[in-house]
C-alpha cells in the first residue's frame, strides 16, 4: 500500500547536461567549474576603478575636466558588460549526440572501416571534406560521439565540444568560442583602453599634485595611487599584448587554437580556407557577423519523473558508452496526432488480436506540451 | 475509451519500431549551416525524391539567410556593440527570427507532406544543428492508412532493425 509521490519540482535541461560546467540563475548563466581566477579579474578591475573614481577622479574633474570621470565610467561599464557577457554566455557548445544518432554514426564508421577487434583502441576516425578547394579533415570526438564540425574542438577543461574553439580562458572563467569571441575581443580591447586611461591619468594626477604639495606628500595622501599604477603597469603588458595578438587573429580570421597548432602555416599545410583574403572583411565577419543563438536549450523543461524511487541518473546508465543529453525530440505522439488530425475519416480499429499491455499508467498529456515547449 | 487504448498501444509499438534517418551536415561550403541533399536510400518509396530535396534545399536557404553577412547584419552588430549588447535583452537577433521561420516551415512540411507519408521531420536546432532527423513510422502503412494518404506502398519497407546500414 505504498503511495506514489509525484515530484512537482520542475527539472530544467541544464541540470542534466553532461560536461563540466556550472550553471547559475536557473540555467541563464553558464560558466566553467573553476571560477577563482575570474573572481580575481573582477576584483582587480572593480578595485582599481573604485580607487580611481574615489580619489584621482575627484581631483582631476575639478582641476582639468569633468569629462575625465565620465569617459572612464563609460569605458569601465563597457568592459564590465563585455566581461560578463563573455563569462556567462554559452561559447557555442555542441550538444552530445543522442544514443540513436551515435549508434547511426558508429554503424556508418564500421561500414566504411570495418569492425575493430575487441580490446583494441579504434584508429582515430577522420572524414575528409573539401572546403573552398582544400581538403579539411573532420575528426570524430569519442566523448561527444559526433564528427566535429570544422574549427570545432573539444575543451578538456569543460568537457564539451565548442564551435570555432579559440581557447579556454581562466581569467573569464569560460571557453572562448564562436558565440562569445566578439565579447571576449571587445573586453580585452576595452580593458586595454581602460588600463591605459587609468594609468595615464594617475601619472597626470601625481604630476599635477606634486607641483603643489610635492611627490612624497601626494603619495602619502592617496596611497591607492601606487597600487593602481602597479596593477595598471603589469596589466598593460599582458592585456595590451593579448589584444594585439587577437587583432592579428581577427584580421586573418584564425583562432588561437589553429594558430597554436599551426593548422594554416607551413609549406605543406593548406591555406586558411575561412579567410576572405581581406582584413576588413575578416574583421567585419568576426566582430559584426550574425550571432547564432545557443542550441543547448538550458532552460527547457525535462519530462517529470513519476516517483522518487527511480532517480533520473539511473535510467541513463543502460549504455555507459553512449552519452546521454537531455535534448527532447518529438516522438510519435506528435506524428500520431498529426496523422489522426489529417485523416478525418478514421477507419475502424484493426481487429488485430493483440495481448493487452501490462497495466501501466498512461503518460500525462502535459509532458508533451512541456517536451515540445 | 477503446480508441484511446488502441492509440496508446499503437504509440508504444510505433516508438520502438520507429526508424530514424539522419541527414548530416554538408561542409563543402565552409562552416555555414547546410545539410546534404543526397536522398537517403531508406526513404526510397516513402517520399518522392524531388519533394525531399526541395525541403532540404529550402532549409539550407533559410540557414543561408540567417547567416548572411551583409549590410543588415553589420548594422545589427554595430548597434549591439554600441549599446554594450544590452539591446539583446529586449530585441531578438536576426538569426533567432529566421530560426522561428524554420520551425514554422518544418511544422508546415510535416503537416502537408511528411505526416501523410508516415514520416516526421525534426527541427535540427533540437539536435544542436548537427543533423536533420527523419522518423519513419514502420506501422503507418499497416494500420490506419486511410484513403486520403498519398503513400504508394502498402507494405512497410523491410529495412531491418536500427537506422540505415549501408
Amino acid at each position: 500500500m505504498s503511495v506514489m509521490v509525484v515530484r512537482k519540482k520542475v527539472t530544467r535541461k541544464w541540470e542534466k547536461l553532461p560536461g563540466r560546467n556550472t550553471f547559475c540563475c536557473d540555467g541563464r548563466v553558464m560558466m566553467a567549474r573553476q571560477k577563482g581566477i575570474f573572481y580575481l579579474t573582477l576584483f582587480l578591475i572593480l578595485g582599481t576603478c573604485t580607487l580611481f573614481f574615489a580619489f584621482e577622479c575627484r581631483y582631476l574633474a575639478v582641476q582639468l575636466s569633468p569629462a575625465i570621470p565620465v569617459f572612464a565610467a563609460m569605458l569601465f561599464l563597457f568592459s564590465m558588460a563585455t566581461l560578463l557577457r563573455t563569462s556567462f554566455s554559452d561559447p557555442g557548445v555542441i550538444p552530445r549526440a543522442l544514443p540513436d544518432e551515435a549508434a547511426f554514426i558508429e554503424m556508418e564508421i564500421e561500414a566504411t572501416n570495418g569492425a575493430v577487434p575487441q580490446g583494441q583502441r579504434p584508429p582515430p576516425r577522420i572524414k575528409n571534406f573539401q572546403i573552398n578547394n582544400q581538403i579539411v579533415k573532420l575528426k570524430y570526438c569519442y566523448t561527444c560521439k559526433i564528427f566535429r564540425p570544422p574549427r570545432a574542438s573539444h575543451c578538456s577543461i569543460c568537457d564539451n565540444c565548442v564551435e570555432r574553439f579559440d581557447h579556454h580562458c581562466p581569467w573569464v572563467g569560460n571557453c572562448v568560442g564562436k558565440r562569445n569571441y566578439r565579447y571576449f575581443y571587445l573586453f580585452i580591447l576595452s580593458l586595454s583602453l581602460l588600463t591605459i586611461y587609468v594609468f595615464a591619468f594617475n601619472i597626470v594626477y601625481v604630476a599635477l599634485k606634486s607641483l603643489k604639495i610635492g611627490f612624497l606628500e601626494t603619495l602619502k595622501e592617496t596611497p591607492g595611487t601606487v597600487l593602481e599604477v602597479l596593477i595598471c603597469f603589469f596589466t598593460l603588458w599582458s592585456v595590451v599584448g593579448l589584444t594585439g595578438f587577437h587583432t592579428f587573429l581577427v584580421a586573418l580570421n584564425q583562432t588561437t587554437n589553429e594558430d597554436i597548432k599551426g593548422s594554416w602555416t607551413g609549406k605543406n599545410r593548406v591555406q586558411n580556407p575561412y579567410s576572405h583574403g581581406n582584413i576588413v572583411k575578416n574583421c567585419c565577419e568576426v566582430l559584426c557577423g550574425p550571432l547564432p543563438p545557443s542550441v543547448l536549450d538550458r532552460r527547457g523543461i525535462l519530462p517529470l519523473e513519476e516517483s522518487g524511487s527511480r532517480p533520473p541518473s539511473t535510467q541513463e546508465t543502460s549504455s555507459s558508452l553512449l552519452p546521454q543529453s537531455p535534448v527532447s525530440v518529438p516522438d510519435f505522439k506528435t506524428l500520431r496526432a498529426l496523422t489522426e488530425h489529417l485523416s478525418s475519416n478514421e477507419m475502424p480499429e484493426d481487429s488485430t488480436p493483440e495481448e493487452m499491455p501490462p497495466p501501466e499508467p498512461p503518460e500525462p498529456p502535459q509532458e508533451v506540451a512541456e517536451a515540445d515547449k | 475509451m477503446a480508441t484511446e487504448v488502441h492509440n496508446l498501444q499503437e504509440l508504444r509499438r510505433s516508438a520502438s519500431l520507429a526508424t530514424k534517418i539522419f541527414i548530416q551536415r554538408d561542409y563543402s561550403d565552409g562552416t555555414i549551416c547546410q545539410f546534404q541533399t543526397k536522398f537517403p536510400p531508406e526513404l526510397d518509396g516513402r517520399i518522392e525524391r524531388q519533394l525531399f530535396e526541395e525541403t532540404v534545399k529550402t532549409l539550407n536557404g533559410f540557414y543561408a539567410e540567417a547567416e548572411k553577412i551583409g549590410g543588415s547584419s553589420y548594422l545589427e552588430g554595430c548597434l549591439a556593440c554600441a549599446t554594450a549588447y544590452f539591446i539583446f535583452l529586449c530585441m531578438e537577433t536576426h538569426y533567432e527570427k529566421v530560426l522561428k521561420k524554420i520551425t514554422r516551415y518544418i511544422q508546415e512540411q510535416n503537416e502537408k507532406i511528411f505526416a501523410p507519408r508516415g514520416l516526421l521531420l525534426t527541427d535540427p536546432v533540437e539536435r544542436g544543428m548537427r543533423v536533420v532527423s527523419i522518423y519513419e513510422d514502420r506501422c503507418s502503412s499497416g494500420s490506419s492508412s486511410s484513403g486520403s494518404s498519398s503513400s504508394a506502398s502498402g507494405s512497410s519497407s523491410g529495412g531491418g532493425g536500427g537506422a540505415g546500414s549501408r
Side-chain angles (χ1 to χ4, degrees):
Chain A
M1 245 182 36
S2 59
V3 178
M4 293 262 270
V5 177
V6 179
R7 280 190 292 166
K8 292 284 182 189
K9 180 185 172 295
V10 153
T11 311
R12 294 199 186 262
K13 289 179 188 171
W14 65 264
E15 296 177 57
K16 298 283 178 256
L17 277 177
R20 289 194 284 268
N21 287 102
T22 330
F23 297 91
C24 309
C25 300
D26 201 19
R28 290 179 182 90
V29 163
M30 176 173 176
M31 293 181 75
R33 280 218 184 135
Q34 299 95 339
K35 297 186 281 292
I37 306 184
F38 167 68
Y39 293 139
L40 176 68
T41 310
L42 271 181
F43 174 73
L44 285 173
I45 299 176
L46 287 172
T48 312
C49 290
T50 310
L51 287 173
F52 182 68
F53 288 124
F55 298 109
E56 285 81 12
C57 273
R58 282 197 289 185
Y59 182 82
L60 289 170
V62 168
Q63 294 294 319
L64 288 180
S65 163
I68 295 172
V70 168
F71 200 65
M74 279 166 53
L75 268 178
F76 167 71
L77 287 172
F78 190 81
S79 57
M80 284 305 294
T82 44
L83 169 64
L84 296 179
R85 270 264 174 194
T86 313
S87 302
F88 294 166
S89 56
D90 172 7
V93 172
I94 307 172
R96 298 189 186 186
L98 291 176
D100 48 10
E101 193 188 331
F104 178 79
I105 295 176
E106 294 265 345
M107 279 170 59
E108 261 196 333
I109 292 170
E110 274 181 21
T112 36
N113 297 340
V116 175
Q118 279 281 354
Q120 276 191 29
R121 183 178 167 76
R125 297 157 174 179
I126 293 175
K127 249 192 206 175
N128 287 327
F129 267 96
Q130 204 177 21
I131 296 177
N132 292 344
N133 299 322
Q134 284 166 354
I135 305 286
V136 172
K137 293 184 195 300
L138 291 193
K139 278 200 189 156
Y140 182 76
C141 180
Y142 287 98
T143 315
C144 303
K145 304 284 178 189
I146 56 170
F147 274 99
R148 267 183 236 131
R151 314 192 88 178
S153 191
H154 191 94
C155 175
S156 48
I157 301 172
C158 301
D159 203 23
N160 288 318
C161 270
V162 178
E163 276 191 273
R164 202 187 182 277
F165 180 72
D166 194 85
H167 66 287
H168 181 98
C169 185
W171 297 94
V172 303
N174 205 356
C175 285
V176 177
K178 181 167 160 190
R179 293 190 70 250
N180 64 353
Y181 183 73
R182 69 191 66 189
Y183 307 137
F184 173 75
Y185 180 77
L186 289 170
F187 164 61
I188 53 175
L189 182 66
S190 56
L191 186 65
S192 307
L193 294 174
L194 181 65
T195 311
I196 295 170
Y197 192 88
V198 169
F199 186 71
F201 279 104
N202 266 306
I203 305 292
V204 166
Y205 167 82
V206 169
L208 281 181
K209 224 163 180 197
S210 304
L211 288 175
K212 291 194 181 164
I213 60 171
F215 182 70
L216 285 172
E217 276 302 313
T218 309
L219 293 185
K220 271 192 213 168
E221 205 174 289
T222 50
T225 312
V226 181
L227 194 62
E228 285 172 60
V229 168
L230 271 175
I231 292 174
C232 288
F233 184 75
F234 288 112
T235 311
L236 261 177
W237 289 111
S238 47
V239 177
V240 172
L242 191 65
T243 310
F245 173 64
H246 278 278
T247 309
F248 163 76
L249 290 181
V250 165
L252 295 179
N253 202 337
Q254 271 190 29
T255 64
T256 307
N257 196 36
E258 287 163 354
D259 188 70
I260 288 175
K261 286 185 185 167
S263 306
W264 315 123
T265 52
K267 275 188 194 168
N268 299 327
R269 303 274 195 157
V270 296
Q271 296 302 303
N272 185 2
Y274 310 108
S275 169
H276 295 277
N278 180 348
I279 290 179
V280 174
K281 262 196 164 179
N282 283 337
C283 289
C284 285
E285 188 200 323
V286 176
L287 300 177
C288 300
L291 189 66
S294 171
V295 291
L296 276 185
D297 190 26
R298 306 188 291 275
R299 296 200 19 94
I301 297 175
L302 280 176
L304 291 170
E305 300 297 325
E306 285 208 9
S307 73
S309 61
R310 214 165 38 117
S313 55
T314 55
Q315 73 183 92
E316 297 172 56
T317 53
S318 54
S319 168
S320 54
L321 292 174
L322 295 174
Q324 307 279 340
S325 53
V327 175
S328 73
V329 287
D331 54 15
F332 268 94
K333 291 185 185 114
T334 318
L335 173 59
R336 204 43 75 182
L338 278 171
T339 319
E340 280 163 16
H341 168 69
L342 288 162
S343 53
S344 50
N345 300 328
E346 196 63 40
M347 283 175 64
E349 270 74 273
D350 285 343
S351 53
T352 44
E354 274 199 338
E355 56 190 10
M356 288 293 291
E360 284 174 60
E363 292 160 318
Q366 63 258 32
E367 276 189 40
V368 178
E370 278 164 359
D372 289 345
K373 215 170 24 117
Chain B
M1 187 67 166
T3 322
E4 283 179 53
V5 172
H6 178 72
N7 284 343
L8 283 170
Q9 287 175 31
E10 279 193 317
L11 279 173
R12 268 190 283 274
R13 267 191 300 134
S14 321
S16 58
L17 287 178
T19 312
K20 290 164 196 162
I21 300 147
F22 297 101
I23 315 294
Q24 305 281 346
R25 283 272 293 267
D26 175 14
Y27 293 113
S28 54
D29 280 337
T31 49
I32 60 168
C33 188
Q34 251 186 350
F35 292 97
Q36 294 178 0
T37 48
K38 195 179 72 164
F39 188 76
E42 297 86 0
L43 289 180
D44 212 4
R46 297 302 296 256
I47 188 170
E48 291 80 4
R49 192 178 280 254
Q50 197 201 356
L51 279 173
F52 168 81
E53 281 176 9
E54 208 181 287
T55 308
V56 180
K57 280 188 183 151
T58 314
L59 279 178
N60 287 342
F62 275 125
Y63 285 115
E65 186 197 326
E67 295 183 5
K68 196 177 75 147
I69 304 168
S72 59
S73 71
Y74 290 153
L75 200 62
E76 190 187 50
C78 291
L79 180 68
C81 178
T83 59
Y85 299 97
F86 281 109
I87 201 166
F88 286 150
L89 295 172
C90 34
M91 189 184 93
E92 240 182 14
T93 63
H94 173 66
Y95 209 113
E96 282 166 345
K97 286 182 195 153
V98 177
L99 284 183
K100 286 197 173 157
K101 266 207 273 185
I102 290 171
T103 310
R104 279 197 300 270
Y105 172 76
I106 289 178
Q107 262 180 344
E108 264 173 38
Q109 290 293 101
N110 273 331
E111 279 173 18
K112 288 186 202 158
I113 296 175
F114 288 87
R117 291 167 171 78
L119 299 169
L120 181 69
L121 200 68
T122 61
D123 199 335
V125 93
E126 291 165 14
R127 295 257 188 185
M129 313 279 258
R130 281 192 312 272
V131 286
V132 175
S133 52
I134 301 179
Y135 288 35
E136 187 186 14
D137 186 5
R138 311 284 302 278
C139 302
S140 69
S141 41
S143 45
S144 64
S145 56
S146 58
S148 61
S149 168
S150 55
S151 165
S153 60
S155 58
S156 55
S157 53
S165 55
R166 293 193 186 141

